[in-house]
Structure formats: structure tokens, C-alpha cells
Amino acid sequence: MIKNQQSMILSPYMEIYNLVVPKDNLLRQIEELVDFSFVYDELKSNYCLDNGRYAIDPIRMFKYLLLKSIFDLSDVDVVERSKYDMSFKYFLQMAPEEAVIEPSSLTKFRKLRLKDLNLLDLLIQQTVKIAIEKEIIKSKAIIVDATHTKSRYNQKAPKEILMDRSKKLRKAVYKIDESMKNKFPAKTTTEALEDEIDYCQKLISVIEKDDSISRFPKVKEQLNFLKETIRDDIEQLRISQDQDARVGHKSADSSFFGYKTHLAMSEERIITAATITTGEKTDGKQLKTLIEKSMAAGMKIDTVIGDTAYSEKDNIIYSKKNEIQLVSKLHPLVAQGKRSKEDEFEFNKDAGMFVCKAGHMAVRKARTGKKDKDRNQKTTYYFDIEKCKRCPLKEGCYIEGAATKTYNVSIKSIEHAEQASFQESDDFREKSKQRYKIEAKNSELKHRHGLDVAESSGLIGMEIQGALAIFTVNLKRIMKLTD
């Protein structure tokens, strides 16, 4: 059961916050900047209002998740820190002497209360609303790009995952006391997952018995991550991989296993829209959604700035129809004319190759046809025929007994010709200089707020992680611009 309103905090020690949490503290600034009542309004339908015991305040639970994102902590560590960090207690609206929650409550909150909530759009819209109210966003241009996030499981066997995490724990211990090697249990020699789990549990037990080692923050952090894996993710370990994650390509010879976060950002570096997809999705197909989401958040758009991935024909037509200037340079090898089966083959701008709907990338390409003839030349993309033979989607695509599988693209297009003319203009060159800003934002999300690796498995978990990371960087940017 959820309370109809937040209860007042009655404690004789509340004044201590004014002494130990200064006005320039990040969490105090966020608390004063944001009205978190929107969390209650959005989540109250996921609680019972008149039956059962009172639930932990959903605003407090949401703030715990936000603290995880801001400081890149595990569930256990964020709760542990809230016991003694007064800025955490202040932000969580706790009395100084108040007891903290059980870390497992955060898992339940994510799974039961946030599962049907479009948290990504909700949090972005809240920050854009604040930025517009404070007259921070003045431009009518958005910069678009995508960044990849590796799956937590990263195509590793379950035993390999545990081995990797136990190794990190041991290395943290050795930096403090190398003699602990003699106390650790013998490593497993079998391939059985159960044996590796048993080894990890014994390793944890040995370290926890030695207070002089386990109390060190670096050791405790790795210890909690390993315990959290065994406790919360044992089911995912047994199925050995993230079922939603997919293989995406960063270049012709470089790939990743995980997800993509597609972003739109104003020139003031406020993220105005985002979509999170599986790793194989191409960037260009998300442009329309990013524009429409940005407009729904309150942005007025007359220019879109992006890399070559966004210069595909449909995006040029859409932008022209909506009177939006598309500042996106054509890829030298992008198909420039009408092509067949556009919904079955998508161009990967990083690799410079087409990818079929099964996720297989062309292995080579060649220009075919003669110059200066009535018919246009084509770029022919060749696929691995052995993969085509075994592909579950081969019906209607692969002809049995064929020696090759190719996809042809005409080289000329009116739409691309117009775009090619525009990209030679001074206006295009000047506006395209703004694109570097989103690369820096991608780096901030990944390296400061943990978006380089998924915290949990599944697309829903990735959306929650992405939403909180974007909410965090937007708030920090707003505070910086209002100083």
C-alpha cells in the first residue's frame, strides 16, 4: 500500500544537514532544482492505495536508483553509503538517525514498479521542461548520434563471467595483502558451472572473515558485485547470455554484443530525446523518432546535425517534407538511387556495408556495370553464401543451389544529388562543426555514468539504466549553465 502523500520528517537532528551539506553540494542542488513529485504521480497506479502494509516511498526508491547512476555504485554499495553519507540522507529525505532499506528492495522496485513505465521519455521530458523554463535551450537545432553499450554477459559462458569477477576481486585483495593467496580456496579444474559458483562462495567467505581486508572500499566494491551476480543473476548465468542483446558492428572488422542508445541533443548539450535498441539496429532509422520525441518534449526544430548514417534517402525526404535542414554528409559508398527490398537490407555507415535482416553483413563489395551507358552503374554487395544456406530467414531471400548471394544498389539518386550539392555549401560546413559536442556527451555517459556496460540483462533493464544516466547528465548540465 502507498501513502496518499509524503509524510513530514519529524526529527530533532534535521538541522545537522544545514551544517554538513553545503549549498554547492551536487545532491542539494539537484534536490532544489527538481520537483520529484512527478515520480509519485507516474507510479501510484502500480501500487495498492487501500490494502496491505505501507510501501517504501517510491520517490525515495527512485532517488536510490538515481544515486546509483550518479556515482556508479552497486545496489549494496549505494545502500551502504546512505548509512553514513549525510548528503545521501539529505537527498533521500531521511532523518539522520533513520534506518536504510534492504538492497534487495531495489531489485523488486525495478522489476515490479518500473516495468510498465516509459521512464526514458518521462525523465528526458522533465529535464527538457526545466531547461526551457530556465531559458537554457535557445537553439532550434538538434545533434543526433548513437553509442553502443556492451551486454553484461558479452557472449561469455556463465563460468567465464564468474571467473572474470572473482579474478577482479582477488586482484583487489592482492594489492592490500598478497599473502592472502595462501588462504584462498583452490581454483576449479572442471567446466561445471556449479563448481565455479561453489568456488566463488568459498572465496567470498574467506574474505569476509578477514575484517582487515574486507573493510577496504575497493575490495568491498568487487565483493558486492560478485555477491550480487550470484544472488540476483543466477538464472541469467544458467542461460549463459543476455537474450535481448544482439551483435552490432562498429566497423567492417569490429563488432560488439549488446545495445545501442540513439540520442538527440540541443546545441546547449541538453539531451532532448533517446531511443534504446538492440545492437544490430542502424542509426539512420531512428532519426524520425528522435525528431518527434524532441518536439514532444518542447523543442522547436529547424536543423538536424548528424554523421553519414542519417543521410539515407527516407531521412532526406522526411526532413524536406517537414521543412527541416538535414546537415548530414553522404557516405561515398551509400546507395544513392532507388533500390529494391529496402526494408530487408540496411546500410551500416561504420562498416560501409549492407546488413541483411538476419544481421549478417556483406563480406565484400564491387562496382558493376559499364560507365557512360544508358543504365546506371551499381554497387554489388556479396554475402557469405555458407551463412545464407543455414539462415532461418533464407526463404524468399536465398535460392537453393545458388553459388552467390548479392545485393545491388544503383549509384545515382535525385535526393542524394540535392544533398550532395548542399553539403558543399558554407552553411553546411559551419553547422556540421557542432557535431563534436555529442561525441563528448557519449563519452560522459559511458565513462562517468556506467553506460559502457549494461548493469542487467534485457532491453527493459537497459532502458532503465539509460534513462537514469541521461537524467543525470542533463541535470548536471542544467546546473552548470545556471551557475
Side-chain angles (χ1 to χ4, degrees), residues 73-92:
L73 299 170
S74 68
D75 288 357
V76 173
D77 287 329
V78 75
V79 172
E80 177 67 24
R81 186 163 167 180
S82 67
K83 291 179 181 178
Y84 59 82
D85 191 319
M86 299 305 284
S87 65
F88 274 41
K89 283 181 175 287
Y90 170 82
F91 183 66
L92 294 166

Side-chain angles (χ1 to χ4, degrees), residues 130-175:
I130 294 170
I132 292 175
E133 288 174 352
K134 293 187 174 292
E135 298 183 345
I136 291 172
I137 297 179
K138 298 176 182 178
S139 67
K140 294 183 180 180
I142 58 171
I143 309 166
V144 292
D145 198 13
T147 187
H148 71 276
T149 300
K150 291 183 287 187
S151 168
R152 181 174 183 171
Y153 298 93
N154 205 28
Q155 286 187 308
K156 289 183 179 179
K159 178 180 169 65
E160 290 178 316
I161 298 164
L162 285 175
M163 287 175 65
D164 181 59
R165 294 186 185 176
S166 63
K167 180 181 179 180
K168 289 179 180 178
L169 176 57
R170 291 194 305 272
K171 289 177 75 172
V173 171
Y174 295 156
K175 288 181 180 180

Side-chain angles (χ1 to χ4, degrees), residues 28-211:
R28 181 184 279 273
Q29 288 180 320
I30 293 176
E31 182 66 19
E32 292 173 353
L33 177 66
V34 183
D35 178 4
F36 285 97
S37 61
F38 74 90
V39 176
Y40 180 89
D41 296 336
E42 292 292 333
L43 292 182
K44 63 183 180 182
S45 61
N46 290 345
Y47 291 84
C48 178
L49 299 177
D50 55 10
N51 189 29
R53 66 179 182 177
Y54 283 122
I56 303 168
D57 182 6
I59 295 178
R60 179 175 295 178
M61 296 298 288
F62 172 80
K63 286 182 175 179
Y64 265 114
L65 297 183
L66 189 56
L67 288 171
K68 275 174 58 69
S69 177
I70 294 172
F71 298 99
D72 199 13
L73 299 170
S74 68
D75 288 357
V76 173
D77 287 329
V78 75
V79 172
E80 177 67 24
R81 186 163 167 180
S82 67
K83 291 179 181 178
Y84 59 82
D85 191 319
M86 299 305 284
S87 65
F88 274 41
K89 283 181 175 287
Y90 170 82
F91 183 66
L92 294 166
Q93 293 289 287
M94 296 171 63
E97 73 276 19
E98 191 173 347
V100 299
I101 64 171
E102 283 292 321
S104 59
S105 300
L106 291 173
T107 301
K108 293 179 181 178
F109 181 72
R110 282 190 294 263
K111 291 182 177 180
L112 300 179
R113 309 305 181 193
L114 299 182
K115 62 178 181 179
D116 297 322
L117 182 66
N118 188 355
L119 192 66
L120 185 64
D121 291 348
L122 174 66
L123 296 186
I124 292 175
Q125 287 173 5
Q126 287 295 322
T127 52
V128 172
K129 179 182 176 183
I130 294 170
I132 292 175
E133 288 174 352
K134 293 187 174 292
E135 298 183 345
I136 291 172
I137 297 179
K138 298 176 182 178
S139 67
K140 294 183 180 180
I142 58 171
I143 309 166
V144 292
D145 198 13
T147 187
H148 71 276
T149 300
K150 291 183 287 187
S151 168
R152 181 174 183 171
Y153 298 93
N154 205 28
Q155 286 187 308
K156 289 183 179 179
K159 178 180 169 65
E160 290 178 316
I161 298 164
L162 285 175
M163 287 175 65
D164 181 59
R165 294 186 185 176
S166 63
K167 180 181 179 180
K168 289 179 180 178
L169 176 57
R170 291 194 305 272
K171 289 177 75 172
V173 171
Y174 295 156
K175 288 181 180 180
I176 299 165
D177 185 359
E178 203 164 340
S179 67
M180 285 292 290
K181 283 183 179 180
N182 302 323
K183 299 181 181 179
F184 286 162
K187 296 178 185 177
T188 58
T189 56
T190 69
E191 294 299 317
L193 174 61
E194 290 75 12
D195 292 343
E196 189 63 35
I197 292 173
D198 183 58
Y199 167 77
C200 290
Q201 290 171 333
K202 289 178 180 177
L203 180 67
I204 290 169
S205 178
V206 171
I207 294 172
E208 287 185 327
K209 286 178 181 178
D210 192 331
D211 290 337

Side-chain angles (χ1 to χ4, degrees), residues 228-270:
E228 195 171 295
T229 300
I230 296 172
R231 184 182 66 249
D232 295 337
D233 298 322
I234 198 70
E235 180 181 347
Q236 290 298 334
L237 286 171
R238 288 187 183 280
I239 61 175
S240 83
Q241 65 178 16
D242 187 332
Q243 296 297 294
D244 286 345
R246 295 290 184 271
V247 175
H249 298 275
K250 294 184 285 184
S251 65
D253 55 1
S254 177
S255 63
F256 68 95
F257 180 70
Y259 304 91
K260 274 188 176 181
T261 301
H262 307 264
L263 301 174
M265 185 184 78
S266 72
E267 289 185 327
E268 295 81 12
R269 307 192 193 202
I270 302 294

Side-chain angles (χ1 to χ4, degrees), residues 328-345:
S328 175
K329 197 170 185 179
L330 297 175
H331 192 287
L333 299 176
V334 168
Q336 298 186 16
K338 184 177 180 181
R339 55 190 177 91
S340 60
K341 299 183 179 180
E342 290 190 67
D343 58 333
E344 296 182 17
F345 294 85

